[in-house]
């Protein structure tokens, strides 16, 4: 609808929030348009989408432009979610217009608008400025009534067309026609379920035949977001009887009100069964479950279990969905057709109504924190969302973040423990190899200790699998000249280049810059270049030479960049087509390799050397997770951990699988050095064409912050990586004992949008 030609609408100055770097601007918009409605406006250099904030009582005295069009008939997001957005906008000092795209895919918009314009009733209402009626419609919708059902259904049919066909009954051999049998056989072969379009393409059967089969009760057709059932595994829908601890944990969660809980138990101790139990209770109350996971690709088993337990009720939101899937996703959520929503980070802002439970699985994972603007932390927002929705939140982990552990110790989160070892799962036997001894003995730096080599030979001889971890890609970490001592660095970043032998390139892992390896040193011309620090590519080569008959598979970011290659590799390993897996930490998580009995960690200290106060915590988490990979019910697993510092608490505690011991020591250290969780941090990051420019911007911010009490400031200092893509980077770190001190400071010293400085609240990475 074009507003400018419409005389009946009363246009008044209205503040519209646009995405940064723009501040909110004032446009003419229909009187009474509710805050939260998205509109399109014209800017000097094109169109933009904005969010209505409300009437502007003191409009600027220039000629105001009218908005171009109205995108939503009423605020699409449920009121509770709008409250959460308002909180997040304040907390992270970003505009609501920035957070909106995380809740609703922008691509919904053009489609949506067309539909609304076709819907005569709606268009009429808007033309006459009868916002109250529209708002009432919207309220009804948010309450769960479906006044707009027809509209949404049309959209969904057009946008998505995702119908899944599932096999349900056993046909009598005489009662199906050949065409029907063909469809059933194809379904059988696909594991019981597939997309209707795939099925029809593969078998050539018509929709009528499928309808017939459905009427006979032999198949079922359901609208779905993602084909969880492709991942269906045998025997997952069995129900377990919760043990005493699991029952106690489930009973301790009051579903009628907000409460934050930390469910702490080793991998396999039955946390997921507790979530499932609670989810079932919540569904039976007619409420919904928001279930966050760190990464979709790493949770195939969880998804299969969910689908087995709640067939057809689970929707999935993640980055790899295509546009029409995302649209279907949002429409389904808005219509409440998927009472369980599983998703990654941004799913915490999903337009889900009437939430009765929020689960944050593996709450310690850093992928919950966004490392780009807006830098939200999904775990923290999940707690806030639980408060707003008045429902319990459960954070689960085998190695909780020290933030959450600390909150539990202080009684802010209720601690629920699962201490029992699950049936038949043995802890692996951990053997520590002190690399200093190995060096003394062999008089050279040791990559594979004797014990590790013997362990690999053993597992090969028994036909079992071994996994070796090294957190460094490439062949050699960097090249240096033995004559002048200089390293070969990226031309655009302050890091050295990594040698990739297969590609025969020196590469920058930050910006992707690459160069053909030179013959002689570009600094001094000597031909004494040598590579330092082996990476996974070299480990793979060396292993192949040591064990020529072994089937070796390397999984790291270089070998898995093609879509689906990671899954293919993991599947091959699960099926026993691989003898030795070599890879980076991406291998440590979530997979289930039944034949794996040996895990070798080549250099456990590697992560400890990072200049980051969380280095020990991350190392502990990684080592504990890795150790959990090895060993199954019927075979004793082994971990061989090579290290130069066996006495470091992170390593010593990981060997004993002693989280609490580690947490106690580490929390004391954090307290002594005033690091989180005993303090809260905010990191101002600035970028400029020179270090000086980047620094000045931070100096200015520091001056503005300095009168505010309760803050300690460090910097401005060069960022640990002081240049990336030719932009120089500086940091200003702000510490406070109280979260409120930081909030006050932020409110008083808001940054100019679009400036060189950005804020990273509760920073996780300091790179
Ligand atoms: P976690 O989430 O802590 O890693 P899971 O809930 O996945 O643990 O449990 C690990 C395995 O043990 C699963 O196969 C699960 O079905 C099984 N399991 C959990 N609790 C019980 C129980 N009370 N009785 C029998 N099996 C159980
Ligand atoms: Zn670079």
């Amino acid at each position: 609808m074009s507003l400018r030609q419409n005389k009946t609408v009363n246009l008044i100055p209205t503040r519209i929030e646009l995405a940064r770097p723009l501040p909110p601007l004032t446009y003419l918009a229909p009187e009474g348009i509710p805050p939260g409605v998205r509109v399109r406006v014209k800017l000097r250099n094109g169109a933009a989408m904005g969010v209505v904030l409300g009437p502007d009582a003191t409009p600027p005295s220039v000629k105001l432009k009218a908005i171009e069009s109205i995108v939503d008939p009423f605020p699409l997001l449920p009121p509770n979610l709008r409250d959460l957005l308002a909180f997040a906008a304040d907390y992270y000092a970003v505009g609501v217009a920035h957070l909106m795209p995380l809740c609703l895919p922008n691509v919904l918009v053009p489609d949506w608008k067309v539909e609304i314009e076709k819907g005569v009733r709606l268009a009429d209402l808007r033309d006459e400025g009868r916002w109250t009626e529209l708002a009432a419609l919207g309220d009804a919708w948010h309450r769960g009534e479906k006044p707009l059902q027809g509209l949404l259904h049309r959209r969904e049919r057009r946008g998505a067309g995702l119908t899944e066909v599932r096999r349900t009954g056993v046909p009598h051999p005489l009662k199906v026609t050949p065409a029907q049998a063909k469809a059933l056989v194809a379904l059988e072969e696909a594991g019981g379920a597939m997309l209707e379009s795939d099925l029809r393409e593969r078998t050539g059967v018509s929709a009528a035949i499928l309808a017939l089969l459905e009427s006979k009760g032999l198949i079922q057709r359901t609208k779905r977001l993602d084909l969880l059932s492709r991942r269906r595994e045998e025997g997952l829908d069995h129900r377990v009887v919760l043990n005493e601890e699991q029952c106690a944990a489930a009973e301790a969660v009051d579903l009628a009100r907000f409460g934050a809980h930390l469910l702490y138990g080793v991998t396999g101790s039955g946390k997921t069964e507790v979530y499932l139990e609670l989810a079932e209770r919540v569904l039976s109350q007619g409420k919904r479950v928001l279930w966050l996971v760190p990464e979709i690709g790493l949770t195939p088993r969880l998804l299969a279990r969910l689908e087995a337990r709640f067939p057809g009720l689970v929707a999935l939101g993640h980055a790899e969905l295509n546009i029409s899937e995302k649209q279907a996703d949002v429409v389904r959520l808005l219509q409440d057709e998927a009472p369980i929503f599983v998703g990654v980070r941004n799913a915490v802002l999903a337009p889900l109504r009437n939430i009765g439970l929020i689960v944050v699985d593996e709450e310690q994972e850093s992928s919950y924190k966004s490392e780009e603007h807006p830098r939200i932390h999904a775990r923290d927002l999940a707690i806030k969302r639980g408060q707003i929705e008045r429902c319990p939140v459960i954070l689960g982990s085998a190695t909780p973040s020290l933030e959450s552990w600390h909150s539990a110790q202080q009684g802010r989160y209720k601690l629920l423990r699962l201490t029992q070892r699950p049936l038949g799962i043995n802890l692996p036997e951990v053997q520590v190899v002190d690399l200093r001894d190995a060096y003394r003995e062999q008089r050279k730096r040791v990559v594979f200790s004797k014990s590790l080599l013997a362990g690999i030979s053993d597992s090969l001889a028994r036909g079992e699998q071994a996994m070796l971890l090294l957190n460094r890609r490439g062949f050699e970490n960097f090249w240096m000249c033995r004559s002048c001592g200089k390293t070969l660095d990226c031309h655009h970043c302050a890091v050295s280049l990594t040698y990739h032998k297969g590609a025969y390139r020196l590469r920058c892992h930050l910006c992707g810059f690459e160069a053909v390896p030179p013959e002689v040193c570009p600094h001094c011309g000597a031909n004494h270049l040598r590579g330092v620090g082996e990476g996974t590519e070299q480990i793979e080569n060396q292993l192949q030479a040591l064990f020529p008959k072994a089937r070796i598979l390397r999984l790291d970011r270089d070998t898995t960049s093609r879509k689906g290659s990671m899954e293919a590799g993991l599947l091959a390993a699960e099926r026993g087509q691989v003898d030795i897996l070599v890879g980076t930490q991406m291998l440590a998580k979530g997979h289930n390799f039944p034949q794996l009995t040996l895990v070798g960690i080549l250099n456990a200290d590697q992560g400890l050397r990072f200049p980051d106060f969380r280095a020990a915590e991350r190392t502990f988490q990684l080592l504990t997770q890795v150790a959990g990979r090895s060993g199954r019910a019927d075979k004793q697993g082994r971990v061989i951990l090579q290290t130069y510092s066996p006495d470091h608490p992170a390593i010593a505690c990981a060997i004993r699988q002693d989280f609490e011991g580690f947490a106690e020591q580490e929390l004391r250290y954090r307290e002594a050095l005033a690091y989180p969780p005993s303090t809260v941090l905010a990191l101002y990051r600035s970028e400029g064409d020179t270090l000086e420019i980047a620094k000045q911007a931070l100096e200015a911010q520091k001056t503005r912050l300095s009168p505010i009490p309760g803050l300690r400031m460090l910097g401005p200092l060069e960022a640990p990586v002081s240049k990336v893509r030719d932009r120089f980077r500086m940091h200003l770190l702000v510490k406070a004992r109280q979260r409120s001190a930081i909030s006050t400071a932020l409110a008083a010293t808001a940054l100019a949008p679009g400036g060189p400085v950005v804020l990273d609240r509760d920073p996780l990475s300091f790179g």
Side-chain angles (χ1 to χ4, degrees):
M1 144 176 98
S2 168
L3 290 163
R4 264 179 278 188
Q5 286 128 36
N6 196 317
K7 301 283 186 291
T8 61
V9 180
N10 189 22
L11 298 176
I12 63 162
T14 306
R15 277 166 66 74
I16 311 278
E17 182 171 304
L18 300 156
R20 268 164 206 254
L22 293 164
L25 296 177
T26 301
Y27 284 85
L28 293 173
E31 188 168 11
I33 188 170
V37 162
R38 294 180 298 175
V39 294
R40 288 195 173 277
V41 300
K42 245 204 192 115
L43 294 171
R44 198 170 307 155
N45 50 0
M49 180 139 64
V51 183
V52 172
L53 291 178
D56 189 348
T58 53
S61 54
V62 295
K63 188 162 181 293
L64 294 174
K65 271 191 261 174
I67 60 171
E68 289 289 304
S69 60
I70 298 168
V71 176
D72 307 324
F74 52 83
L76 271 184
L77 301 178
N80 282 349
L81 181 51
R82 298 211 298 274
D83 291 349
L84 181 69
L85 289 182
F87 168 83
D90 270 355
Y91 189 84
Y92 294 104
V94 297
V96 172
H98 269 271
L99 296 165
M100 277 281 208
L102 310 187
C103 317
L104 293 171
N106 269 335
V107 290
L108 258 180
V109 175
D111 240 12
W112 182 268
K113 204 176 78 186
V114 172
E115 292 290 349
I116 285 165
E117 286 179 354
K118 278 195 212 137
V120 180
R121 192 170 130 73
L122 287 174
D124 285 353
L125 278 171
R126 262 195 320 195
D127 277 356
E128 290 161 31
R130 285 155 62 188
W131 287 105
T132 27
E133 279 175 51
L134 262 185
L137 260 172
D139 286 349
W141 191 49
H142 286 310
R143 278 196 310 273
E145 295 158 25
K146 293 179 178 171
L148 302 176
Q149 198 170 26
L151 200 78
L152 288 166
H153 267 308
R154 271 211 309 284
R155 278 186 32 71
E156 185 171 12
R157 257 207 318 277
R158 235 186 34 190
L162 292 176
T163 307
E164 184 196 68
V165 183
R166 183 184 313 178
R167 183 96 148 68
T168 51
V170 184
H172 190 282
L174 295 177
K175 287 197 182 148
V176 291
T177 65
Q180 291 170 351
K182 208 162 149 191
L184 291 173
V185 168
L187 269 175
E188 204 72 69
E189 283 170 356
M194 63 197 295
L195 269 185
E196 177 166 342
S197 51
D198 286 353
L199 178 63
R200 289 180 52 189
E201 195 173 305
R202 188 167 319 166
T203 60
V205 301
S206 63
I209 288 178
L210 294 182
L212 248 161
L213 282 171
E214 191 170 23
S215 69
K216 288 185 182 178
L218 295 176
I219 63 168
Q220 192 191 357
R221 291 195 276 182
T222 35
K223 283 233 180 289
R224 328 194 31 76
L225 287 185
D226 195 8
L227 288 179
L228 293 186
S229 17
R230 276 189 184 160
R231 305 179 173 107
R232 179 163 300 147
E233 287 176 38
E234 283 298 307
L236 281 176
D237 50 354
H238 75 280
R239 276 174 174 267
V240 306
V241 180
L242 296 189
N243 65 31
E244 251 172 61
E245 278 185 334
Q246 288 170 316
C247 285
E251 292 310 323
V253 178
D254 183 349
L255 294 177
R257 52 183 50 80
F258 166 72
H261 307 77
L262 177 62
L263 179 60
Y264 159 59
V266 295
T267 306
S269 60
K271 297 184 293 297
T272 308
E273 294 294 342
V274 175
Y275 310 144
L276 290 171
E277 168 71 25
L278 289 168
E280 188 162 355
R281 293 185 195 177
V282 165
L283 293 196
S284 74
Q285 297 177 350
K287 293 190 183 163
R288 314 196 152 74
V289 179
L290 176 59
W291 189 311
L292 302 182
V293 295
E295 238 177 287
I296 288 287
L298 294 181
T299 45
R301 238 179 107 73
L302 167 70
L303 297 177
R305 273 165 85 180
L306 268 167
E307 174 62 16
R309 182 84 169 248
F310 306 107
L313 301 181
V314 185
L316 189 57
H318 57 96
E320 280 152 37
L321 294 179
N322 67 31
I323 286 169
S324 60
E325 285 167 332
K326 269 188 194 153
Q327 293 185 357
D329 172 355
V330 166
V331 169
R332 241 183 120 195
L333 286 183
L334 290 170
Q335 284 188 296
D336 300 336
E337 281 182 2
I340 302 184
F341 185 62
V342 182
V344 295
R345 184 172 60 228
N346 291 344
V348 75
L349 299 177
L352 199 64
R353 275 185 341 102
N354 195 13
I355 300 177
L357 173 69
I358 303 176
V359 173
V360 185
D361 197 15
E362 303 287 348
E363 63 86 26
Q364 82 285 355
E365 285 290 336
S366 56
S367 58
Y368 284 124
K369 171 81 161 64
S370 168
E371 288 303 340
E372 48 197 67
H373 183 79
R375 292 173 175 261
I376 60 166
H377 198 311
R379 177 192 65 213
D380 299 349
L381 286 180
I383 301 277
K384 188 68 199 177
R385 191 158 192 186
Q387 267 171 9
I388 293 174
E389 307 274 355
R390 301 210 187 93
C391 76
V393 182
I394 305 197
L395 313 180
S397 179
T399 53
S401 64
L402 290 179
E403 282 81 358
S404 298
W405 185 250
H406 184 64
S407 295
Q409 302 271 294
Q410 295 196 322
R412 271 180 290 136
Y413 297 177
K414 197 188 260 187
L415 181 62
L416 313 173
R417 278 171 203 268
L418 300 182
T419 57
Q420 289 170 18
R421 292 281 162 202
L423 295 173
I425 295 187
N426 301 314
L427 258 192
E429 166 201 319
V430 182
Q431 183 188 346
V432 180
V433 175
D434 190 331
L435 287 173
R436 293 168 304 184
D437 294 343
Y439 178 85
R440 248 173 262 133
E441 192 184 303
Q442 301 187 22
R443 304 197 159 273
K444 61 170 201 227
R445 210 171 52 86
V446 172
V447 178
F448 305 103
S449 62
K450 282 184 184 155
S451 322
L452 184 56
L453 290 175
I456 298 174
S457 302
D458 267 8
S459 77
L460 289 178
R462 282 200 299 267
E464 295 169 358
Q465 289 177 318
M467 177 193 283
L468 300 187
L469 282 124
L470 180 71
N471 225 350
R472 195 150 69 195
R473 296 186 283 137
F475 193 82
E476 283 150 352
N477 195 26
F478 60 92
W479 276 19
M480 67 173 280
C481 172
R482 274 203 261 201
S483 181
C484 71
K486 290 196 177 135
T487 54
L488 301 192
D489 296 338
C490 177
H491 295 186
H492 308 285
C493 310
V495 295
S496 27
L497 297 167
T498 297
Y499 176 50
H500 291 255
K501 190 176 182 185
Y504 194 60
R505 287 287 181 279
L506 288 163
R507 279 196 187 133
C508 172
H509 285 180
L510 290 179
C511 75
F513 169 82
E514 48 175 50
V516 176
E519 297 288 318
V520 297
C521 174
H523 305 291
C524 73
N527 83 14
H528 295 306
L529 286 171
R530 69 172 265 228
V532 181
E534 58 287 323
T536 44
E537 188 184 2
Q538 181 171 172
I539 296 298
E540 180 191 10
N541 280 20
Q542 292 192 11
L543 279 172
Q544 201 69 75
L546 289 162
F547 304 99
K549 292 213 191 84
R551 295 166 299 174
I552 300 175
L553 178 69
R554 169 163 61 100
L555 287 178
D556 55 28
R557 247 197 291 156
D558 298 316
T559 63
T560 57
S561 51
R562 228 170 3 97
K563 197 179 166 188
S565 52
M566 175 84 178
E567 284 75 13
L570 293 172
L571 203 64
E574 275 180 32
R575 290 192 182 138
Q577 294 160 355
V578 174
D579 300 316
I580 309 178
L581 274 160
V582 181
T584 50
Q585 67 180 25
M586 66 162 63
L587 271 184
K589 293 172 190 158
H591 314 298
N592 180 22
F593 305 115
Q595 294 305 314
L596 182 73
T597 52
L598 173 70
V599 172
I601 298 160
L602 296 178
N603 186 349
D605 325 79
Q606 208 177 20
L608 291 175
R609 287 193 292 266
F610 280 107
D612 182 330
F613 70 89
R614 288 195 181 87
E617 181 178 2
R618 295 218 176 94
T619 299
F620 176 83
Q621 287 167 352
L622 178 67
L623 297 181
T624 315
Q625 259 172 8
V626 171
R629 293 289 116 228
S630 134
R632 288 289 162 245
D634 47 340
K635 297 187 188 101
Q636 176 66 40
R638 256 179 101 192
V639 175
I640 297 177
L641 190 148
Q642 305 188 145
T643 172
Y644 287 99
S645 37
D647 302 324
H648 190 287
I651 292 176
C653 292
I655 292 168
R656 298 195 303 269
Q657 301 259 309
D658 178 12
F659 168 76
E660 295 185 46
F662 171 73
E664 199 189 318
Q665 291 187 51
E666 184 67 14
L667 283 175
R668 258 187 274 137
Y669 157 84
R670 301 273 181 95
E671 173 71 42
L673 296 179
Y675 278 126
S678 67
T679 56
V680 281
L681 302 181
L683 182 66
Y684 286 96
R685 302 165 176 268
S686 82
E687 279 189 13
D689 291 337
T690 65
L691 268 180
E692 201 43 45
I693 293 176
K695 188 171 173 187
Q696 276 164 9
L698 287 180
E699 292 286 7
Q701 183 64 10
K702 188 175 182 178
T703 310
R704 301 171 66 208
L705 286 164
S706 52
I708 298 170
L711 303 181
R712 267 190 58 203
M713 287 184 273
L714 276 109
L717 292 169
E718 275 183 41
V721 181
S722 61
K723 184 175 81 167
V724 175
R725 293 186 182 87
D726 294 313
R727 302 278 290 164
F728 289 86
R729 295 146 40 107
M730 299 282 293
H731 284 174
L732 172 66
L733 186 64
V734 182
K735 269 190 193 180
R737 284 274 167 201
Q738 301 299 332
R739 205 166 286 279
S740 54
I742 301 240
S743 296
T744 312
L746 291 185
T749 63
L751 293 163
V757 181
V758 295
L759 175 76
D760 184 358
R761 197 149 182 205
D762 305 321
L764 266 196
S765 114
F766 296 85

